[in-house]
Amino acid sequence: MSEMMANRRDFLRVGSGLLVGLFIPESSRLAAQGRGGNGAVNPNAYIHIGADDSVTFLITKAEMGQGTVTSLSQLLAEELDCDWTKVKTEFAPVNPALYGNQGVYGSASIRTTWAPLRQAGAAARAMLLDAAAQKWGVEKAGLRTENGFVVNPASNARLSYGSLAEGAAKFPIPTGVPLKDPKQFRIIGKSVKRLDTRDKVNGKAQFGLDARLPGMVYAVVARCPVFGGTVAGFDATKAKAVPGVKNVVQIPQGVAVIGENTWAAMQGRKALEVRFDEGPVASVNSEGIRKMFAEYATQPGAVAKKTGDAEAALATAAKKLEAVYEAPYQSHSPMEPMNCTAVVYPDRCEIWASTQMQSGGRSTAAQITGLKPDQVKLNTLYLGGGFGRRSGTDFLSEAVEVAKAMPGTPVKLTWSREDDMQHDLYRPASYVKFAGGVDAEGWPVALTAKVACPSFFGGRPGTVDSTAVEGIHTLEYSIPNIYVDWRRADPGIPTTFWRAVGYTQNTFFAEAFVDELAHAGGKDPVELRRKLLRNSPRLRAVLDKAAEASNWGKPAAGRHQGVAVVNNVGSFTAMVAEVSVTAGKLKVHRVVCAVDCGHIVNPGIIRQQIESGIVYGLSASLKGAITIDRGRVQQGNFNSYDVLRIDEMPRVDVHIVETDNNPGGIGEASVPPLAPAIANAIFAATGKRLRSLPIRPADLA
Amino acid sequence: MAITFTLNGGRQTVDVNPQTPLLWVLRDTLGLTGTKFGCGMALCGACTVHLNGSAVRACITPISSVAGKTVTSIEGLSADTTHPVQQAWMEEDVPQCGYCQSGQLMAAASLLAKTSRPTDADIDEAMRGNICRCGTYTQIRSAIHRAAAIKAGAKA
């Protein structure tokens, strides 16, 4: 069979079993796109039951560590009532007509599949019951299912799902099958082991960089070190003389050197002579960016939130505070550097990629090759970390460009660590000028924030990019007068989503400044937040849990606590960090986190993700930062951009506060409160208010 | 230039530029992709393999220096995913994205081969060169202690 196209035929393996189509769009947004208003939607396909009783789930969400392979399977298996130990998974092909938009960002995987995947499982189970009822000549209503079997209690007869699958596939797909009451769940809500672990401990798991094809060649690209720069000319003579170098081709992003293996290509690139037109960003440096932000912050901005009259309230406040907070650019630096493998033929293109943007990647390849999207097949491999970086399709574009220049030859394009760090799409740097006031009793009465930073989305002048202010304009505190505005300051450094997006900077800024207000008013930081969260019961509940679990106010001798909360990705998170500062040296001893993410699918994975976000936050708070000089990134590898190591890992205690709400996201829930919890704890320890990340030892001296 | 060495229990001869790092010989020439590329400068540990039984970074090990020696990669750690560190990693459900874990496992196996009951300080020392961006450090520590217990139990 050809490697062509993810078409319907790939799913209809009816000859060997059941396939369930489902008439549920992934989201109403997708329903609105191209599905018409007549209710006619394409079926989604998720479940395959083999005659051998194997159960294979098609996973539409890429796996980057967040646990989709396991947790999406739990949703399907719960309602299907199959034998969990027999579940296998495959990544679903990219097919917008079947699956809607496929991508993993915004901690949305469970949120967008919670209903439809359970409904898919329930529909499949109903069809298996139909098949058994027909076979036995009995009423379906009298039958039940049990761990991969249909059982007739009246006769004690049992038929396995595998033996029923082919017959079941002939029944119409039911709609509106009732779902289980959560009290009946036996797979959802349980810490079942991850399904991807075994292959990840024996080297078998196939990541993007592991794609291999017959006749494949290996490419690296020489890019202008300055953002926005272009190739002015090149001489490939020396590069082509390097043993193992097969070809040198120019692509829009730079000059590609193609070799018989990755190392040969890298050696060829070293020998390549390229001249670049560096363009206007060549004059940009970090100090200039900071001045630009500070200057912009004094100018009028687009209003993101206005409640009451903050200026008037500040003028009459018993006490007024002002502070400037800053955060630097950050790289994502997933362990797997960017890469992509592609082959282009005159009438089709096939891609093997670790990407967070499956649908977008396919569209991008179609645009580059001039093919129709359905002539492009994108194979999803495991992601060696994503964190938002792989929501970009820049690396995929490069691979397709090189493959297009060498039709019929599969090309694996690899970025070195330096390529990855110096050509990232960065978490934007940001700058906020706060003012706040407290009344005579010490309670906050006004808060203003003037935000200056680049935009993720661009947008028209005078409009607000909500990702630039989220974490500030979304604060749930009952402060009567709040004003938040934003001005776009774009120094020309490329940016994209970074784990938790705008909250990564803004929750640090806001939760540290609220801490300043608490101290200005003589209030305990937890007491102040409790009072201001009187209209936010879910956030207040996790705050109470974190305070209780951390023994708030009574840290161990020599240790100091800081607290922060956030409501993002549909979840509610509170965190208490416990630190000591001895002779200018910071040690983070313990982080206590309480999270309410509604209904729980897999507590083990939730704990993993909370801990993971804390580690990611610790690296960004205490370790590396991306700085710019002459339009270039100054860092290149983990020696100049360090990240948290095992010997710096604090104890982490995770408390899941389950509530009867639809699931919230989890992958990005714990990143935002980490930095302010640390900074607030450092204030408790030293009286120093650190308003800029990352925290450096010099700041503590 | 032909270079011969022992790889995962079998004799292996490759004809490549002798300066080529072992990492790329394993991955590109021999198709053993379990060993990962992370930094190219021995800064992250993703490419850790065993050379004559000791953990080394394959990304800075020229293939010429491997001639006549014995290399074990993640694929050769055990025939059936039963090495104590692999068992322990599964029991603790350590991996998230999983990309760094081959290197983590190889580093841990090397530690346990030399230190049968490592302390937390031993683990810090042996493992601080292996980066995990997903932050599985607590689980790695637990799994190493568990693997030590599995190993001790197997001997008892």
Side-chain angles (χ1 to χ4, degrees):
Chain A
M1 159 141 174
S2 91
E3 57 196 9
M4 267 295 280
M5 267 103 72
N7 63 21
R8 191 171 162 76
R9 196 173 62 231
D10 291 339
F11 306 103
L12 294 179
R13 290 175 276 179
V14 173
S16 60
L18 169 67
L19 190 109
V20 174
L22 183 71
F23 295 87
I24 305 271
E26 190 170 74
S27 71
S28 55
R29 176 171 59 84
L30 294 168
Q33 289 174 8
R35 291 177 199 268
N38 60 1
V41 289
N42 289 323
N44 291 327
Y46 300 106
I47 299 169
H48 176 242
I49 298 173
D52 60 354
D53 288 333
S54 65
V55 175
T56 305
F57 293 147
L58 294 170
I59 303 298
T60 57
K61 301 285 187 181
E63 173 68 77
M64 51 185 173
Q66 84 280 41
T68 46
V69 161
T70 308
S71 54
L72 268 55
S73 294
Q74 287 179 265
L75 299 180
L76 288 161
E78 181 68 63
E79 293 291 343
L80 179 60
D81 201 18
C82 63
D83 181 351
W84 177 255
T85 62
K86 293 206 169 85
V87 168
K88 293 187 167 43
T89 65
E90 289 173 13
F91 290 114
V94 180
N95 190 328
L98 270 179
Y99 297 115
N101 183 40
Q102 283 165 269
V104 282
Y105 46 88
S107 299
S109 291
I110 291 294
R111 290 191 282 166
T112 54
T113 59
W114 169 249
L117 290 193
R118 287 185 302 140
Q119 281 156 348
R125 179 177 167 275
M127 292 161 78
L128 290 158
L129 286 166
D130 282 331
Q134 186 182 59
K135 206 159 188 169
W136 284 326
V138 299
E139 285 296 313
K140 177 182 171 185
L143 306 179
R144 60 183 177 82
T145 58
E146 186 184 293
N147 211 35
F149 289 85
V150 176
V151 180
N152 183 356
S155 63
N156 268 333
R158 292 162 70 84
L159 285 168
S160 77
Y161 282 6
S163 68
L164 291 166
E166 192 167 349
K170 297 186 178 100
F171 281 85
I173 296 159
T175 54
V177 180
L179 299 179
K180 282 185 184 174
D181 184 311
K183 289 185 190 70
Q184 299 171 283
F185 287 161
R186 65 185 184 94
I187 299 171
I188 292 175
K190 303 290 183 291
S191 290
V192 298
K193 292 267 162 125
R194 292 179 62 121
L195 298 172
D196 51 350
T197 300
R198 188 180 183 86
D199 283 354
K200 288 179 175 176
V201 302
N202 61 22
K204 284 189 184 141
Q206 294 282 299
F207 295 84
L209 197 58
D210 301 333
R212 286 179 67 80
L213 294 160
M216 186 170 81
V217 295
Y218 299 80
V220 298
V221 173
R223 305 168 191 83
C224 181
V226 177
F227 298 109
T230 53
V231 173
F234 68 98
D235 181 346
T237 312
K238 288 179 186 162
K240 285 182 171 170
V242 170
V245 170
K246 298 166 90 85
N247 202 358
V248 175
V249 298
Q250 186 169 359
I251 60 171
Q253 297 88 344
V255 180
V257 179
I258 295 106
E260 64 185 19
N261 59 52
T262 311
W263 193 74
M266 287 175 172
Q267 298 310 108
R269 182 171 66 172
K270 276 187 198 162
L272 182 72
E273 293 176 354
V274 198
R275 285 176 294 109
F276 295 107
D277 176 359
E278 296 188 347
V281 181
S283 62
V284 171
N285 61 52
S286 284
E287 192 47 38
I289 292 169
R290 185 168 180 267
K291 284 187 184 141
M292 177 193 189
F293 288 2
E295 161 63 22
Y296 273 50
T298 64
Q299 295 172 10
V303 179
K305 177 165 181 162
K306 190 174 192 307
T307 305
D309 186 342
E311 289 301 334
L314 279 174
T316 57
K319 205 178 219 181
K320 190 180 159 184
L321 287 184
E322 287 185 4
V324 167
Y325 279 80
E326 295 169 86
Y329 288 97
Q330 284 290 1
S331 90
H332 301 78
S333 297
M335 290 314 296
E336 181 195 11
M338 296 305 104
N339 68 87
C340 180
T341 298
V343 59
V344 176
Y345 300 100
D347 59 346
R348 63 192 174 92
C349 168
E350 186 160 2
I351 294 165
W352 293 260
S354 42
T355 172
Q356 291 177 245
M357 222 41 113
Q358 295 154 285
S359 301
R362 195 176 80 138
S363 310
T364 300
Q367 281 165 17
I368 292 168
T369 55
L371 296 167
K372 296 191 188 84
D374 64 5
Q375 292 174 294
V376 177
K377 181 179 179 186
L378 190 149
N379 302 280
T380 303
L381 287 85
Y382 281 117
L383 281 64
F387 314 121
R389 176 62 183 91
R390 290 186 154 93
S391 65
T393 53
D394 50 337
F395 54 93
L396 181 144
S397 297
E398 287 184 356
V400 175
E401 290 283 2
V402 179
K404 187 180 153 191
M406 303 177 71
T409 301
V411 177
K412 181 193 283 189
L413 183 133
T414 301
W415 289 31
S416 67
R417 176 56 60 190
E418 290 77 9
D419 295 337
D420 192 274
M421 203 170 282
Q422 296 176 340
H423 297 276
D424 198 348
L425 310 168
Y426 301 86
R427 192 283 300 275
S430 186
Y431 182 103
V432 180
K433 209 171 158 187
F434 281 112
V438 299
D439 64 19
E441 279 78 51
W443 299 109
V445 289
L447 176 73
T448 67
K450 297 176 185 301
V451 183
C453 69
S455 171
F456 289 105
F457 296 119
R460 297 186 310 280
T463 62
V464 176
D465 171 358
S466 65
T467 60
V469 290
E470 64 186 13
I472 303 176
H473 83 306
T474 56
L475 282 173
E476 295 216 349
Y477 294 131
S478 296
I479 297 174
N481 303 287
I482 298 181
Y483 175 83
V484 181
D485 68 11
W486 172 68
R487 60 285 294 143
R488 183 183 182 191
D490 183 5
I493 311 301
T495 60
T496 196
F497 308 122
W498 189 91
R499 195 173 188 174
V501 195
Y503 292 91
T504 68
Q505 310 99 318
N506 290 329
T507 300
F508 163 61
F509 303 152
E511 278 292 274
F513 188 66
V514 164
D515 222 65
E516 294 200 48
L517 291 177
H519 288 280
K523 305 297 180 197
D524 173 83
V526 167
E527 179 201 2
L528 177 109
R529 286 175 173 82
R530 284 201 86 246
K531 166 134 176 171
L532 298 184
L533 291 173
R534 56 185 173 270
N535 296 321
S536 303
R538 293 180 73 183
L539 203 46
R540 190 151 93 164
V542 292
L543 173 63
D544 285 346
K545 183 68 199 177
E548 175 216 319
S550 64
N551 207 12
W552 175 258
K554 301 182 202 68
R559 298 188 187 178
H560 303 271
Q561 295 169 316
V563 65
V565 301
V566 71
N567 51 295
N568 68 331
V569 297
S571 292
F572 300 82
T573 308
M575 200 172 276
V576 172
E578 198 169 287
V579 311
S580 64
V581 181
T582 313
K585 194 166 160 44
L586 171 71
K587 184 168 172 61
V588 181
H589 296 272
R590 183 184 180 204
V591 178
V592 175
C593 182
V595 61
D596 166 6
C597 54
H599 278 300
I600 292 167
V601 177
N602 187 317
I605 290 176
I606 290 171
R607 289 199 172 85
Q608 280 187 338
Q609 284 302 297
I610 290 291
E611 197 156 329
S612 176
I614 287 168
V615 173
Y616 211 68
L618 283 166
S619 289
S621 302
L622 307 176
K623 295 287 187 167
I626 292 296
T627 56
I628 309 294
D629 182 42
R630 295 178 297 127
R632 297 154 165 81
V633 166
Q634 292 180 285
Q635 294 69 31
N637 211 315
F638 292 116
N639 50 356
S640 48
Y641 185 85
D642 196 13
V643 295
L644 201 81
R645 310 287 181 138
I646 193 170
D647 57 331
E648 301 160 307
M649 181 69 199
R651 173 179 157 189
V652 174
D653 297 324
V654 181
H655 298 271
I656 302 171
V657 179
E658 185 166 16
T659 56
D660 190 23
N661 291 289
N662 280 334
I666 202 67
E668 297 169 288
S670 66
V671 180
L674 188 278
I678 299 282
N680 294 341
I682 289 171
F683 177 79
T686 65
K688 286 186 177 27
R689 189 53 80 175
L690 302 183
R691 301 188 180 94
S692 177
L693 295 178
I695 293 157
R696 303 290 190 193
D699 302 332
L700 303 167
Chain B
M1 192 178 112
I3 292 155
T4 300
F5 59 106
T6 301
L7 175 62
N8 297 335
R11 191 179 149 88
Q12 187 73 58
T13 299
V14 292
D15 188 3
V16 296
N17 180 334
Q19 292 307 307
T20 309
L22 173 61
L23 169 68
W24 298 113
V25 173
L26 289 173
R27 290 184 54 83
D28 293 352
T29 311
L30 300 173
L32 293 180
T33 55
T35 303
K36 302 305 185 195
F37 168 54
C39 71
M41 290 175 69
L43 297 168
C44 80
C47 67
T48 306
V49 297
H50 296 171
L51 182 63
N52 283 355
S54 291
V56 299
R57 307 302 192 214
C59 73
I60 56 155
T61 304
I63 191 65
S64 57
S65 72
V66 172
K69 295 184 181 165
T70 297
V71 174
T72 306
S73 70
I74 185 71
E75 291 90 348
L77 189 58
S78 70
D80 45 6
T81 322
T82 53
H83 187 284
V85 293
Q86 291 172 314
Q87 287 182 51
W89 249 245
M90 286 191 282
E91 286 167 19
E92 296 282 341
D93 237 358
V94 174
Q96 289 183 29
C97 92
Y99 191 81
C100 73
Q101 298 296 341
S102 295
Q104 304 277 2
L105 285 151
M106 296 309 284
S110 174
L111 166 65
L112 288 172
K114 294 178 170 67
T115 310
S116 58
R117 295 307 289 254
T119 63
D120 281 341
D122 294 332
I123 293 171
D124 284 346
E125 177 65 25
M127 304 299 292
R128 77 172 313 280
N130 287 75
I131 296 173
C132 174
R133 285 289 271 162
C134 296
T136 63
Y137 296 132
T138 301
Q139 291 71 33
I140 287 171
R141 186 183 302 282
S142 301
I144 292 174
H145 287 306
R146 186 187 279 257
I150 292 170
K151 235 177 141 177
K155 270 186 208 149

